Amino acid sequence: MTPGSVRLPLTVIGGYLGAGKTTLLNHLLANPDGQRIAVLVNDFGEIDIDGRLLDSATDDVLRLANGCICCSVADNFAETLETVRGFAERIDRVVVEVSGVGQPHKVAQWGHSPGFSPDGVVVLVDPLSILSRAVDPYVGDTVVAQVARADLVVISRTDVAGADELEATEAWLDGVTGATVLRAPLPTAVLLGPAFRPLDVDHFPPARRVDHGSGSGEPRHADHVTISRRLDGPISRPSIETWTQSRPGGVVRAKGLVRVNDRPNDRTVLQICGSSTMVSVDGPWDDGEDAVVAIALPGTPRAALVKWLNLLR
């Protein structure tokens, strides 16, 4: 795509105070999974950047040796986004941390700004405190609203929470949100979506076939099921509608860059984040490959994923 048409996926990460957002951001910056991530935070001091990663710094931007950057959100969020747009040719996606008392779904609306595309709302919850905070007369409404409008909910602190606390948290979440609920830790590609790199044609199966995990070019993740498919041309609009309505229960992330037969000169993006599915056009077709990548929970039958991806035709 031409520089002016690059649109950066924007993922919003929220959760009440102490839910583990900073820990998650540290992990993403240190383990970007080959993606060049721009993280927008309120305070650099909360992000403990490994000195071996830090490449250079200015008043508002930390540049990391792994291609990521960390930007401080000043008084004007719009200005910060404009700064990030200046890095569009050097980064792959943007992650915004919302303050503990903020509403992530509202910040996610910035994903519709010029130069960006919405990539879902991820909310963290602490199983040791979420149930008491949800009924707190002062903060309960905020906590419930954060979770209710999420696309993907991640239960943090699973290393210290007991089985009863985790199960009670999941039972409560089931009653307040339709979002997909997962336990940490999770691969970067599940949290932010797969890195959509050019597929390795030499190792990719013939058109209309599905890769079963060897040499496809996309990152592999222990336990999670990752499958790719290359398409042999524009697909029909009805097949996209069927695809979105037929998603197997284990799918937590998917992304496709395709042409549709009623708009063959445009690049259509198929995006799944947890419970949310988005279909949008983000610019002219860039002569790349029509392809889709899906990531599913451990144990998800590959046959179901193969059948699902083959619905796009």
Side-chain angles (χ1 to χ4, degrees), residues 39 50 60 64 72 81 126 156 177-178 180 234 275 300 312:
V39 172
D50 189 328
D60 297 316
L64 277 61
S72 175
L81 283 182
D126 177 3
S156 62
T177 182
T180 298
S275 59
T300 303
L312 295 170

Side-chain angles (χ1 to χ4, degrees), residues 74-96:
D75 294 335
N76 192 321
F77 186 65
E79 291 181 3
T80 303
L81 283 182
E82 189 64 28
T83 298
V84 171
R85 283 186 63 192
F87 293 97
E89 293 301 308
R90 287 179 281 172
I91 58 177
D92 300 311
R93 59 171 58 250
V94 178
V95 176
V96 181

Side-chain angles (χ1 to χ4, degrees), residues 124-155:
L124 278 71
V125 299
D126 177 3
L128 302 180
S129 62
I130 186 66
L131 298 184
S132 60
R133 282 179 169 162
V135 296
D136 185 288
Y138 298 103
V139 304
D141 288 347
T142 296
V143 171
V144 172
Q146 289 175 345
V147 171
R149 301 297 293 272
D151 299 311
L152 176 63
V153 174
V154 178
I155 300 176

Side-chain angles (χ1 to χ4, degrees), residues 121-125 127 130 147-148 150-156 158 165-184 186 190-191 224 247 249-252 273-276 297-298:
V121 175
V122 179
V123 172
L124 278 71
V125 299
I130 186 66
V147 171
D151 299 311
L152 176 63
V153 174
V154 178
I155 300 176
S156 62
T158 55
E165 291 165 318
L166 293 173
E167 291 171 5
T169 298
E170 289 169 337
W172 176 79
L173 289 168
D174 187 55
V176 298
T177 182
T180 298
V181 177
L182 302 176
R183 297 184 184 184
L186 294 167
V190 172
L191 293 165
H224 285 79
R247 174 164 50 128
V251 175
V252 293
C273 174
S275 59
S276 175
L297 294 175

